[in-house]
Amino acid sequence: MWTPVSRGRWHGRALTVWATAAAHRGLLEPRRTPSRGAAAKSRTLDRLYSSADRKEKIDMSRFSVENTRNFSIIAHVDHGKSTLADRLLELTGTIDKTKNNKQVLDKLQVERERGITVKAQTASLFYNCDGKQYLLNLIDTPGHVDFSYEVSRSLSACQGVLLVVDANEGIQAQTVANFFLAFEAQLSVIPVINKIDLKNADPARVEKQIEKVFDIPSDECIKISAKLGTNIERVLQAVIERIPPPKVHRKNPLKALVFDSTFDQYRGVIANVALFDGVVSKGDKIISAYTKKTYEVNEVGVLNPNEQPTHKLYAGQVGYLIAGMKDVTEAQIGDTLYLHKQPVEPLPGFKSAKPMVFAGMYPIDQSEYNNLKSAVEKLTINDSSVTVHRDSSLALGAGWRLGFLGLLHMEVFNQRLEQEYNASVILTTPTVPYKAVLSSAKLIKEYREKEITIINPAQFPDKSKVTEYLEPVILGTIITPDEYTGKVMMLCQARRAVQKNMMYIDQNRVMLKYLFPLNEIVVDFYDSLKSLSSGYASFDYEDAGYQTAELVKMDILLNGNHVEELVTIVHNVKAYRKNVLAKCYGGDITRKMKLLKRQAEGKKKLRKIGNIEVPKDAFIKVLRTQPDK
Amino acid sequence: MALPGARARGWAAAAKIAQRRRHAEGARGSSSRAPPSSRAALYVHWPYCEKRCSYCNFNKYIPRGVEEAAMRSCLVTEAQTLLRLSGVRRVESVFFGGGTPSLASPSTVAAVLEAVDQAAHLPADSEVTLEANPTSAPRARLAAFGAAGVNRLSIGLQSLDDTELQLLGRTHSARDALQTLAEARRLFPGRVSVDLMLGLPAQQVGPWLGQLRTLLGCCDDHLSLYQLTLERGTALFTQVQWGTLPAPDPELAAEMYQEGRAMLREAGFRQYEVSNFARNGALSTHNWTYWQCGQYLGIGPGAHGRFVPQGAGGHTREARIQTLEPDNWMKEVMLFGHGTRRRIPLGQLELLEEVLAMGLRTDVGITHQHWQQFEPQLSLWDVFRSSREVKAQLAQGLLLLDHRGLRCSWEGLAVLDSLLLTLLPRLQEAWQQRTPSPVQGG
């Protein structure tokens, strides 16, 4: 998913040469080289020589299952997750303490503005405690619900989590969402209250919040300052004491879960795996339960956080595996790998990521179409959660309809297109996937099902042919200082939200839960919430399925600005060739005329502006500036 | 049913006459002096196929067994009924389409033609086309269709690449296609058309042009090029949607079209319509009727027609659609003499919109004379002369408006649909603003 971003940061894949990424990366890796350019170059060389040639291999057999722990850190943005990770890596000797691994603002502009983190990292820590060698695998998760799919797949390789909460800000919306993901996965949760060194820190209040909201006794909270390194050892001890070792067996045949994968242009696919049973080593013949294809393992190893080859990987351990897979689709995330002739029951796998926000994307100039096409292809090679459908618009010519996990996902994608590929695009107002239950037998035959999903509002089936329309809904969590409660509730009501719950998490903070139609939050909701609460309210959401949409509302939606594109420029004649090429004989005339008239009608609606210069960030601006409905 | 011997021989002779005759004047003029309302083309829909093609969303069925005798008698009945309702006295062309009409018996074809000639007049030189799929042993069957009265073949060749044919779900091979084409030319010299598709998933320009070049070496005087349209509900659409096949690239398709039409022009073919090419005057008169908004009757399940039901006292042109499902259609024909499911009266503006959109698909476009037949008051000049947007299209050389009429240039023909997005609203506007014409005094 966002692996290109995170890999850029952690492993510096040659694929991602991106100015911003260069500034981000390197935090958690040894700083071997003085300048960025040189760093990128040396990493490229690393790719040319297998890392196996340079480093002595680690014998992983000395880490027994009993001495292995797999865990994640989950936190609201800026509550100190990355700093804590730095300290843990230093303390275990994974990275050098003297190199001053100071937490810098290593975030994308969009992350800072939106208050979210997008990253997924893995590192194996070697730690001595009471004379025992422990292997602690830190499997990091992206911090936002757009990526809850990745969070859940990272968590599936863990037995416990560190839940980091800021001693000053207390529990925020994202803390809640992340906690419940871990809770549902039945993981041990270790609450960690960070930033106790701050002047306004109130760890006692946060302890009470944790007790009230998550039902965790306050004496289980570990109070730390990741910045100063206070109490970090206690965190490691808690990981060993409170998180159980994985329940796995070395003696059983190999059963490995692919929980992430990336593409390296020199070595092919690098699959991150968690071993549930057995052993894997170089030369083994393995089979993908999903594709049934057989591969020979070329390299196995651990991530610390760079790839470090090992002789073998054993049950309970987490690492990577390279086996001549040519394309990320071959290393399906959630897939189970097993040994040739030793088939095992595959692990349950993951629900595939469902795009929830759609937008049309068009080149500003049609002559840029092919460049943009190749940029989109390159970006999606490592992010299979972006869905791509070719589309053409009356006003904007040939383009695509892209599906994203959420708004942030979309913005990051757009930003990367601009920054990495210098591509200028027009994105249309985001929309959500609606469903329609068809009543027309003819349409059911065409679509081959009764309930269809519509990702482009322009393709809505007519009301007369539909029993009901369904729209996606989400369960939103808002945490706000109580003085803003009134305003927040009014905002939610204006967005057709239904209140599900309201509780005080301490004397002056309120947690509200609302069921929102997704389309009400895809444009501008977050900004409105932030501005009416002077930035204090936090918001997060989770998927809550579909509900019947009111037809009246749907009419307004369809006749309103959602149907047509946001920005209009004079259409490019070239884009319509394809309609002409279709043959047209007697039976086609009615259909042809209908189509032509509908298009002509659409064209009339568009205001012609002439050959305007569309600013690169037209889309992001619209997300901000569109007035509330 | 036995082949009506004498009549069939008569048809065979007529077909030969038709083959010798060349449409020297092109398909434009009509040889008949009869008023337009008493003339029509006839479309006959045979709804069955052997196998479902992966791209086709036409009204077709894979039968377990066709009751051909019943089908035949229903087609005959419906032809008789609609000819009576329309008051048509002269049928100038017949087109057997489908489905796969070459799976029908030649005797069925003969029976329909016989009925048409009895109910109205079917001149000996009328164009009678049959859509035929390539097969491995075509000769005897094609000859039998010729004897039944067919004098023109349209071969659904689609591709000369076996992999592509497989992708399309066709039952034939490239070899079958070439063999069928050769046999067809021997039996119907100068009267054979082939269809070639472009813009298939993963298809590249170079190899496709290679196919076209091969085809030029062995084809007759008529060719149709058309782009694959992914239709919802087809296997191909599903495969592309699920990503198991790459989506066809519209840019490549546009390139194939441009290069293809240039190659055909070079080879002496006239592009007389957006997707149709002919040399030696071998235009299809039947299809020409569609583009000139002539009358046509449609019989068979799901067939479309457009005519004035004069025989029933009507004065308004109607769009008519027959019942889709063969079984229901047959029941209705047996009960009521026809299976017309919908009749939609066409208003004057709607008719003019069709005249415009269909006429511009042809190279001659819409002549002033042609337009006047449909609209005597408001001339093409009146409608389009003053529009700024139309002027821009004229200035770009995409459109021509002169003493002959309104038509697309060579370049304009390839982008007609986008031109129509300007022309159609302009026509609507002019229609609404027209001064009500004074009632014509007698």
Side-chain angles (χ1 to χ4, degrees):
Chain A
M1 306 296 179
W2 288 108
T3 42
V5 181
S6 60
R7 295 296 144 166
R9 223 175 277 166
W10 279 60
H11 304 270
R13 292 239 185 287
L15 186 78
T16 317
V17 183
W18 166 31
T20 326
H24 294 163
R25 71 163 73 103
L27 214 221
L28 295 172
E29 67 183 46
R31 300 251 166 110
R32 283 170 302 203
T33 40
S35 78
R36 261 189 228 155
K41 191 174 160 197
S42 92
R43 259 179 245 111
T44 309
L45 287 174
D46 286 354
R47 297 291 148 247
L48 294 172
Y49 305 97
S50 160
S51 42
D53 301 335
R54 295 178 290 109
K55 285 176 185 167
E56 201 177 314
K57 288 187 180 176
I58 303 170
D59 176 11
M60 295 299 288
S61 68
R62 60 197 170 103
F63 300 104
S64 67
V65 174
E66 295 69 46
N67 294 344
T68 302
R69 302 289 183 274
N70 297 321
F71 69 104
S72 280
I73 308 178
I74 55 182
H76 193 79
V77 63
D78 276 344
H79 282 199
K81 174 163 122 173
S82 301
T83 316
L84 175 59
D86 291 354
R87 293 297 95 79
L88 294 177
L89 292 172
E90 283 171 12
L91 201 62
T92 55
T94 310
I95 55 174
D96 199 338
K97 212 181 267 183
T98 62
K99 294 291 182 185
N100 195 21
N101 298 300
K102 193 173 73 178
Q103 165 76 43
V104 290
L105 288 174
D106 62 338
K107 294 184 180 68
L108 296 169
Q109 189 189 348
V110 64
E111 289 178 310
R112 272 202 305 275
E113 286 170 0
R114 293 263 143 182
I116 25 202
T117 313
V118 186
K119 56 182 176 184
Q121 326 165 92
T122 295
S124 294
L125 320 177
F126 307 121
Y127 183 60
N128 272 310
C129 183
D130 301 332
K132 281 186 225 160
Q133 266 274 357
Y134 284 94
L135 171 66
L136 311 180
N137 296 308
L138 166 55
I139 300 157
D140 207 350
T141 59
H144 188 259
V145 274
D146 268 12
F147 307 97
S148 66
Y149 165 67
E150 274 122 302
V151 174
S152 58
R153 80 187 196 223
S154 298
L155 295 183
S156 73
C158 296
Q159 284 75 44
V161 295
L162 300 175
L163 180 69
V164 178
V165 187
D166 183 306
N168 179 18
E169 289 189 2
I171 290 177
Q172 295 295 316
Q174 236 170 282
T175 323
V176 180
N178 281 324
F179 169 81
F180 283 106
L181 281 175
F183 185 76
E184 275 163 28
Q186 299 185 320
L187 306 185
S188 309
V189 177
I190 303 173
V192 175
I193 299 174
N194 189 23
K195 307 195 189 179
I196 55 168
D197 56 303
L198 290 183
K199 205 174 74 189
N200 295 327
D202 189 355
R205 184 180 60 108
V206 178
E207 276 179 347
K208 286 198 193 101
Q209 288 180 352
I210 288 172
E211 191 159 4
K212 178 146 193 196
V213 180
F214 303 137
D215 206 15
I216 300 175
S218 54
D219 61 356
E220 286 189 19
C221 294
I222 305 171
K223 287 167 242 170
I224 67 162
S225 164
K227 192 171 138 200
L228 304 178
T230 316
N231 269 345
I232 304 300
E233 290 268 4
R234 276 200 55 201
V235 174
L236 285 173
Q237 276 156 13
V239 166
I240 291 167
E241 287 160 16
R242 298 198 215 162
I243 296 174
K247 288 195 188 73
V248 297
H249 301 282
R250 274 189 197 179
K251 294 257 167 15
N252 287 355
L254 174 69
K255 184 193 269 192
L257 171 75
V258 179
F259 66 91
D260 202 354
S261 67
T262 43
F263 181 76
D264 178 295
Q265 58 175 320
Y266 298 106
R267 297 195 291 173
V269 173
I270 300 176
N272 286 6
V273 292
L275 270 66
F276 281 67
D277 275 320
V279 183
V280 67
S281 56
K282 184 177 171 177
D284 282 347
K285 283 225 166 58
I286 55 165
I287 295 178
S288 146
Y290 183 74
T291 64
K292 300 281 183 265
K293 281 189 186 163
T294 307
Y295 302 93
E296 188 176 321
V297 177
N298 302 328
E299 187 178 322
V300 296
V302 293
L303 299 154
N304 73 346
N306 298 312
E307 288 139 25
Q308 181 161 11
T310 61
H311 293 289
K312 294 183 178 184
L313 279 178
Y314 296 87
Q317 297 176 354
V318 172
Y320 70 93
L321 174 157
I322 300 174
M325 295 173 180
K326 301 237 163 22
D327 158 349
V328 277
T329 57
E330 286 183 74
Q332 198 79 31
I333 288 157
D335 193 5
T336 302
L337 303 175
Y338 57 84
L339 289 177
H340 181 61
K341 290 190 178 157
Q342 288 178 276
V344 297
E345 180 77 16
L347 293 154
F350 304 105
K351 274 188 293 180
S352 59
K354 237 181 5 216
M356 289 311 287
V357 177
F358 291 84
M361 177 183 275
Y362 300 88
I364 283 181
D365 178 345
Q366 279 290 319
S367 67
E368 285 290 310
Y369 178 86
N370 283 327
N371 292 340
L372 186 58
K373 183 175 157 196
S374 99
V376 169
E377 277 166 4
K378 281 182 191 143
L379 270 181
T380 49
I381 192 170
N382 261 319
D383 186 358
S384 57
S385 61
V386 179
T387 62
V388 182
H389 295 271
R390 208 197 300 270
D391 204 358
S392 71
S393 145
L394 230 42
L396 305 174
W400 302 269
R401 191 143 196 98
L402 302 178
F404 303 95
L405 299 174
L407 276 178
L408 167 80
H409 189 195
M410 174 163 62
E411 287 192 40
V412 172
F413 190 90
N414 185 32
Q415 196 156 345
R416 296 192 62 206
L417 265 182
E418 289 183 359
Q419 291 174 336
E420 292 174 53
Y421 297 96
N422 195 25
S424 295
V425 300
I426 300 166
L427 270 157
T428 63
T429 314
T431 60
V432 302
Y434 290 94
K435 287 184 177 177
V437 182
L438 300 174
S439 58
S440 142
K442 185 170 168 244
L443 278 186
I444 293 172
K445 195 174 164 196
E446 272 181 27
Y447 284 93
R448 296 178 176 189
E449 53 197 351
K450 207 168 153 50
E451 190 177 295
I452 59 164
T453 302
I454 307 125
I455 62 169
N456 189 341
Q459 289 164 359
F460 252 78
D462 189 75
K463 204 161 69 180
S464 65
K465 292 170 178 161
V466 164
T467 317
E468 62 173 345
Y469 294 107
L470 303 170
E471 63 178 333
V473 286
I474 54 102
L475 184 64
T477 301
I478 298 164
I479 293 183
T480 177
D482 59 0
E483 60 201 279
Y484 303 112
T485 312
K487 283 188 193 168
V488 170
M489 286 167 69
M490 271 164 62
L491 173 68
C492 293
Q493 272 161 23
R495 301 296 179 117
R496 297 197 282 139
V498 178
Q499 198 182 83
K500 290 284 164 190
N501 196 1
M502 175 172 167
M503 80 184 270
Y504 274 82
I505 61 168
D506 61 24
Q507 278 93 345
N508 44 22
R509 270 163 218 253
V510 179
M511 178 167 80
L512 298 155
K513 295 234 180 201
Y514 274 93
L515 199 63
F516 284 90
L518 178 58
N519 101 296
E520 294 289 344
I521 62 158
V522 292
V523 176
D524 212 32
F525 175 78
Y526 188 78
D527 289 340
S528 303
L529 181 71
K530 279 284 173 197
S531 79
L532 71 77
S533 66
S534 312
Y536 284 115
S538 63
F539 173 70
D540 215 333
Y541 65 87
E542 60 191 286
D543 183 11
Y546 277 78
Q547 72 178 16
T548 305
E550 290 167 54
L551 284 175
V552 185
K553 291 275 196 271
M554 200 56 79
D555 277 348
I556 294 166
L557 178 73
L558 292 179
N559 297 326
N561 53 8
H562 279 253
V563 177
E564 283 306 341
E565 293 78 9
L566 160 71
V567 189
T568 60
I569 52 176
V570 171
H571 75 272
N572 183 338
V573 165
K574 200 168 128 205
Y576 299 111
R577 268 182 195 160
K578 63 172 192 166
N579 293 330
V580 181
L581 295 173
K583 57 182 177 174
C584 182
Y585 304 114
D588 311 320
I589 291 175
T590 307
R591 205 175 143 191
K592 179 86 186 165
M593 292 308 298
K594 232 188 219 170
L595 186 74
L596 280 171
K597 282 193 207 167
R598 205 169 61 208
Q599 289 184 340
E601 201 51 45
K603 189 179 169 249
K604 263 201 282 186
K605 272 194 200 160
L606 299 175
R607 256 183 316 138
K608 281 193 171 182
I609 304 174
N611 282 314
I612 53 161
E613 178 74 21
V614 181
K616 281 185 189 179
D617 57 346
F619 167 67
I620 292 192
K621 276 198 186 135
V622 161
L623 275 183
R624 304 246 137 70
T625 56
Q626 196 153 341
D628 287 352
K629 279 169 270 184
Chain B
M1 185 178 120
L3 202 67
R7 182 64 194 162
R9 268 194 302 281
W11 274 110
K16 289 225 170 61
I17 298 166
Q19 282 165 25
R20 277 195 295 274
R21 268 182 66 124
R22 274 282 140 79
H23 292 238
E25 56 183 322
R28 240 176 304 158
S30 168
S31 51
S32 161
R33 301 282 164 270
S37 61
S38 70
R39 289 178 282 151
L42 174 73
Y43 175 78
V44 185
H45 192 77
W46 181 260
Y48 301 113
C49 287
E50 211 175 339
K51 186 175 171 248
R52 220 174 280 279
C53 292
S54 64
Y55 59 92
C56 175
N57 74 334
F58 276 29
N59 185 39
K60 79 293 169 180
Y61 302 84
I62 315 300
R64 256 160 282 159
V66 180
E67 285 182 65
E68 186 158 353
M71 192 72 198
R72 173 165 46 219
S73 108
C74 285
L75 285 172
V76 165
T77 306
E78 191 168 51
Q80 288 164 340
T81 310
L82 293 191
L83 281 168
R84 182 163 42 76
L85 283 176
S86 65
V88 162
R89 302 303 317 141
R90 185 184 168 94
V91 172
E92 303 196 300
S93 64
V94 182
F95 194 102
F96 290 88
T100 313
S102 56
L103 292 178
S105 305
S107 62
T108 296
V109 169
V112 171
L113 293 174
E114 172 91 31
V116 171
D117 192 38
Q118 275 174 10
H121 174 49
L122 181 63
D125 62 346
S126 295
E127 179 184 279
V128 179
T129 308
L130 176 85
E131 274 182 351
N133 276 355
T135 59
S136 49
R139 188 181 165 74
R141 251 191 110 64
L142 293 184
F145 280 118
V150 169
N151 57 26
R152 184 173 179 274
L153 283 183
S154 170
I155 300 177
L157 176 139
Q158 316 307 4
S159 168
L160 287 178
D161 179 310
D162 282 340
T163 317
E164 287 177 4
L165 287 168
Q166 237 170 3
L167 177 83
L168 295 171
R170 303 292 291 183
T171 51
H172 69 269
S173 66
R175 199 163 155 260
D176 295 341
L178 291 174
Q179 197 191 342
T180 304
L181 174 57
E183 286 296 347
R185 288 189 68 189
R186 228 165 285 155
L187 290 162
F188 305 91
R191 309 277 292 171
V192 178
S193 175
V194 286
D195 286 351
L196 184 67
M197 286 174 90
L198 56 87
L200 307 186
Q203 194 175 48
Q204 297 302 315
V205 179
W208 181 80
L209 284 172
Q211 288 189 33
L212 183 57
R213 207 169 290 121
T214 308
L215 205 51
L216 271 178
C218 58
C219 73
D220 204 10
D221 289 342
H222 195 282
L223 240 157
S224 301
L225 296 187
Y226 61 93
Q227 186 191 18
L228 169 71
T229 314
L230 284 179
E231 302 284 1
R232 198 174 274 290
T234 63
L236 215 54
F237 179 92
T238 313
Q239 279 171 290
V240 169
Q241 204 176 36
W242 288 3
T244 47
L245 274 179
D249 187 333
E251 291 296 309
L252 288 185
E255 204 181 323
M256 290 175 204
Y257 181 68
Q258 283 300 9
E259 301 264 335
R261 65 202 284 248
M263 188 190 284
L264 286 168
R265 180 157 72 170
E266 196 84 342
F269 279 84
R270 164 179 163 200
Q271 183 177 13
Y272 71 101
E273 194 261 351
V274 166
S275 51
N276 284 279
F277 302 79
R279 64 182 167 196
N280 302 323
L283 288 71
S284 161
T285 51
H286 184 84
N287 291 335
W288 193 265
T289 304
Y290 294 146
W291 303 317
Q292 295 293 76
C293 291
Q295 291 205 107
Y296 58 98
L297 315 181
I299 64 168
H304 287 242
R306 267 172 170 62
F307 62 88
V308 181
Q310 258 187 340
H315 300 285
T316 309
R317 184 173 160 112
E318 291 177 358
R320 287 180 168 235
I321 304 166
Q322 310 307 103
T323 293
L324 285 173
E325 307 82 1
D327 293 349
N328 296 346
W329 172 82
M330 273 197 260
K331 270 181 219 147
E332 287 169 36
V333 174
M334 285 189 260
L335 277 172
F336 314 114
H338 65 83
T340 302
R341 180 54 69 91
R342 291 189 72 189
R343 294 169 53 186
I344 307 147
L346 294 171
Q348 177 67 4
L349 174 61
E350 271 176 292
L351 179 57
L352 292 181
E353 285 168 348
E354 287 191 9
V355 170
L356 181 69
M358 294 300 126
L360 285 180
R361 291 182 68 89
T362 64
D363 61 345
V364 297
I366 305 148
T367 62
H368 292 297
Q369 198 188 1
H370 178 61
W371 181 262
Q372 249 183 344
Q373 283 178 19
F374 294 93
E375 174 51 48
Q377 305 294 323
L378 198 64
S379 75
L380 286 171
W381 293 110
D382 296 337
V383 177
F384 297 111
R385 188 164 35 193
S386 57
S387 157
R388 197 171 49 83
E389 286 174 288
V390 175
K391 274 186 195 153
Q393 293 181 349
L394 294 169
Q396 279 175 283
L398 297 171
L399 201 64
L400 298 156
L401 177 60
D402 58 19
H403 65 282
R404 277 162 59 194
L406 181 71
R407 65 193 175 278
C408 289
S409 67
W410 161 266
E411 291 75 23
L413 206 55
V415 294
L416 171 62
D417 278 7
S418 61
L419 302 183
L420 284 171
L421 297 189
T422 297
L423 299 176
L424 284 171
R426 176 61 213 138
L427 171 60
Q428 289 160 3
E429 203 182 348
W431 181 256
Q432 272 142 23
Q433 287 165 358
R434 78 195 189 284
T435 41
S437 58
V439 180
Q440 301 286 311

